[in-house]
Amino acid sequence: MRSIRRVVAVGLVGGAMALTAACGGGDGGSGGSAAKADLGAGAAAAGSAKPTAAAAPTSAAPKVSTAAVSIEPKAGSVDVAPNALKVGATGGKLTTVKVNDKAGKEVPGTISADGASWTPAAPLEVGTAYQVSAMAADAGGAVATADSNFTTLTPTALAKASDNVDNDATYGVGMIVSVNFSKDVKNKDEVARGITFQTDNGTVVKGHWFGDRRLDFRPEDYWKSGTKVVVHYRLKSVEIAPGVYGTDRDEPFTIGRSQLSTVDAAAHKMTVVRDGVPSDIDISAGAPEHPTWNGTMVIMSKEGVVRMQSSTLPGMTGAPYDLQVPHSMRLTDSGTYVHGNYWSSSSTFGEDNVSHGCVGLKDVEGGGANTSMGKFYDGSLVGDVMVVKNSIRKETLDPANGLSGWNVPWSAW
């Protein structure tokens, strides 16, 4: 029994030594190798029992942009005014704005220099569906987007814009294009921007309003001979007055040879300079009781034989008359003409002023082709310039009286 106990004790001591060796790491004996194997097994067991640390993320979570995009009108809007589209950004800058109609046609526009807004190049089309997509980025590059869809209104009323230009016609170098509207214009700036002039030589044309229904256009100086012009009306989507819109069309015309006529009322002479070549014609201007306007006028129309009656002139003095006047060309709305005169003696022309404000040249009844007025009439164009000087009339010719806008300085045009 004692021996058995001793063996057991030895075994216990050996186990303790092995355990101690295992904990201490051993120094290369067979017991050490076993200890290492036991350590590996223990480590594996410990690893399976304890939770492991989470793996490092492969990418950062998306940043929320501080930029915000706003689009007006809101999605689903209908009966939208063509100029109501507004795209803006806060907390960042717009980077992309796409506006397309239902056919996929893109609306051109411009992002402002500060990136805060986008503006279409022209009003949107009426009665059209649009889709808007916009994107903005903040200072860190984080992106925000917004979308909208809407439909513009269909006009219920139209305003007619008529002018004094015929397609493919030829006009003088003083031609002023005068546009008259059938309704009072409220949005004058938008309407003026909706009528543009395309010229083949870069001539710049500007508009000037006379009242609420008339808009006249001219260049700074007289047109150059041979200039080809196209007037573009783009008023279909322009609100002329509340709820009232215009129409679109194009009108081409050409500027012909240069003819500038200067009437010296005191000398009873008219000097006509055609393409740089001058010639003088004897005339009779307005009598002292009815002097001719001073200033620059333009031939508005060539009307042939016109019935002229003294009864139509307010405040007319002197003998009444009712005449069929040949070769009449209108210079003002108020009734100033350059025309043929067959009722005055030949000695009147170049010597005396006897008319009721018109400029008269020698002619025969019914109009003669070879008379002074007949030749001048045949050689003249609507748009030719006539300047009157040295008349005793003191009042200033109203620039709105006829095509007399050349009397307005360019700085005020």
Side-chain angles (χ1 to χ4, degrees):
M1 180 67 70
R2 181 180 298 174
S3 61
I4 294 173
R5 289 177 178 173
R6 185 178 291 118
V7 172
V8 172
V10 171
L12 290 172
V13 173
M17 290 177 65
L19 181 60
T20 302
C23 290
D27 59 357
S30 59
S33 296
K36 288 181 179 178
D38 291 343
L39 178 61
S48 62
K50 295 180 180 180
T52 59
T58 57
S59 60
K63 292 178 61 179
V64 176
S65 179
T66 60
V69 179
S70 62
I71 301 176
E72 290 291 342
K74 301 298 184 184
S77 298
V78 295
D79 292 330
V80 173
N83 60 352
L85 176 58
K86 296 179 181 179
V87 182
T90 57
K93 296 183 177 182
L94 290 169
T95 57
T96 304
V97 177
K98 295 290 185 182
V99 182
N100 298 87
D101 65 15
K102 59 186 177 182
K105 180 182 178 182
E106 187 170 340
V107 175
T110 304
I111 295 175
S112 63
D114 61 4
S117 63
W118 176 90
T119 304
L124 303 179
E125 294 286 335
V126 294
T128 303
Y130 287 94
Q131 178 71 42
V132 185
S133 178
M135 181 182 298
D138 63 17
V143 171
T145 63
D147 298 284
S148 182
N149 61 283
F150 60 88
T151 302
T152 54
L153 58 80
T154 298
T156 57
L158 297 176
K160 183 179 180 181
S162 58
D163 63 27
N164 56 336
V165 174
D166 291 327
N167 285 348
D168 300 316
T170 300
Y171 297 102
V173 297
M175 185 61 178
I176 291 177
V177 177
S178 186
V179 184
N180 288 272
F181 295 87
S182 60
K183 298 180 183 296
D184 288 353
V185 176
K186 301 300 182 183
N187 300 319
K188 291 182 177 179
D189 289 343
E190 289 188 34
V191 169
R193 286 193 294 268
I195 305 174
T196 59
F197 283 68
Q198 176 187 342
T199 61
D200 66 346
N201 55 14
T203 300
V204 175
V205 179
K206 291 200 313 186
H208 183 87
W209 286 96
F210 292 109
D212 292 331
R213 295 196 178 194
R214 177 178 169 186
L215 177 59
D216 283 11
F217 291 89
R218 69 169 176 88
E220 181 175 4
D221 301 309
Y222 299 141
W223 298 89
K224 294 180 180 179
S225 297
T227 302
K228 295 187 180 301
V229 186
V230 181
V231 188
H232 298 291
Y233 286 86
R234 296 296 179 266
L235 300 176
K236 177 182 177 181
S237 298
V238 175
E239 190 177 30
I240 293 174
V244 180
Y245 290 77
T247 58
D248 293 351
R249 69 180 189 273
D250 296 323
E251 293 182 343
F253 66 89
T254 301
I255 300 299
R257 83 291 174 273
S258 174
Q259 180 169 293
L260 308 174
S261 301
T262 301
V263 173
D264 187 331
H268 319 296
K269 298 283 185 182
M270 179 171 70
T271 300
V272 181
V273 180
R274 179 180 290 188
D275 290 331
V277 179
S279 60
D280 290 334
I281 303 174
D282 291 336
I283 60 95
S284 177
E289 298 83 8
H290 305 282
T292 306
W293 294 105
N294 284 306
T296 301
M297 291 167 264
V298 171
I299 295 176
M300 299 172 59
S301 57
K302 298 177 68 174
E303 300 178 11
V305 177
V306 173
R307 183 182 183 185
M308 298 188 183
Q309 299 171 282
S310 56
S311 59
T312 64
L313 295 176
M316 201 284 296
T317 60
Y321 63 87
D322 186 348
L323 298 168
Q324 297 292 331
V325 180
H327 290 136
S328 297
M329 296 191 291
R330 181 180 287 271
L331 300 176
T332 69
D333 294 319
S334 60
T336 304
Y337 282 80
V338 53
H339 59 66
N341 179 335
Y342 61 86
W343 53 89
S344 296
S345 64
S346 297
S347 60
T348 300
F349 304 98
E351 297 293 335
D352 200 5
N353 290 330
V354 298
S355 80
H356 288 80
C358 295
V359 177
L361 279 68
K362 185 174 177 56
D363 208 342
V364 296
E365 188 170 1
N370 294 318
T371 62
S372 295
M373 188 60 213
K375 294 177 181 178
F376 182 64
Y377 185 94
D378 289 342
S380 294
L381 294 172
V382 171
D384 281 349
V385 176
M386 288 198 67
V387 179
V388 177
K389 64 179 184 179
N390 296 327
S391 172
I392 64 172
R393 189 161 193 162
K394 302 302 181 184
E395 300 94 336
T396 301
L397 174 62
D398 184 350
N401 191 355
L403 303 179
S404 303
W406 295 106
N407 296 292
V408 177
W410 183 245
S411 60
W413 185 255

